[in-house]
Amino acid sequence: MKFFVDNWYLILLALVSGAMLMVPAIKGGVSGGISAALAVQLINREKAVVIDVCSAGEFAAGHVGGAKNVPLADLESRLPAVVKNKTLPLVLVCASGGRAQGALAVAQKLGYANAQVLAGGLKAWKEAGLPVEKA
């Protein structure tokens, strides 16, 4: 017991560092998103709708083919008009995946249970060698 009392700071340091090592594993498992290959399968097999939550300027510079642009700020008001069938899979995309994570919560709140985020966003899509359209 004396060891624990005398070295409490070492034990605390070990616990904190262990927790920091676990964060990426937990975060990736819960909300990491889907790969570009899986997104293509959803689009081709299940008629998934791709929603790009970037600004209009970013969307015009390059986007996933067939994607519909609904900026994150307008998502809650415009998504029900753009995608009427809430049972269709949604693939949410942004430049790197960060904004799409926020969009996922909005989509799920609106009742889109099959909404998913493209892990890595448009950057990962390009790295996978998949086509990008420009408006």
Side-chain angles (χ1 to χ4, degrees):
M1 190 64 156
K2 183 174 178 353
F3 174 80
F4 293 112
V5 173
D6 291 343
N7 297 300
W8 66 269
Y9 54 90
L10 294 175
I11 295 168
L12 180 64
L13 180 65
L15 291 173
V16 169
S17 64
M20 290 175 68
L21 288 172
M22 294 296 293
V23 168
I26 293 169
K27 192 174 184 181
V30 174
S31 62
I34 60 172
S35 67
L38 185 55
V40 169
Q41 286 182 351
L42 284 173
I43 294 165
N44 292 337
R45 294 182 183 165
E46 299 183 33
K47 307 296 183 222
V49 179
V50 180
I51 303 294
D52 192 315
V53 297
C54 292
S55 67
E58 289 174 303
F59 183 77
H63 57 272
V64 173
K68 298 177 182 185
N69 183 228
V70 182
L72 183 57
D74 303 332
L75 190 66
E76 194 164 353
S77 61
R78 288 189 46 209
L79 187 60
V82 173
V83 183
K84 292 178 175 57
N85 186 351
K86 292 186 178 185
T87 61
L88 282 177
L90 288 184
V91 178
L92 301 165
V93 182
C94 68
S96 63
R99 285 177 283 182
Q101 286 292 342
L104 178 63
V106 174
Q108 289 174 338
K109 185 178 98 174
L110 292 172
Y112 294 91
N114 294 330
Q116 305 207 33
V117 172
L118 177 62
L122 187 61
K123 181 181 173 194
W125 184 268
K126 289 177 184 177
E127 288 174 357
L130 296 167
V132 175
E133 290 181 354
K134 293 185 179 183

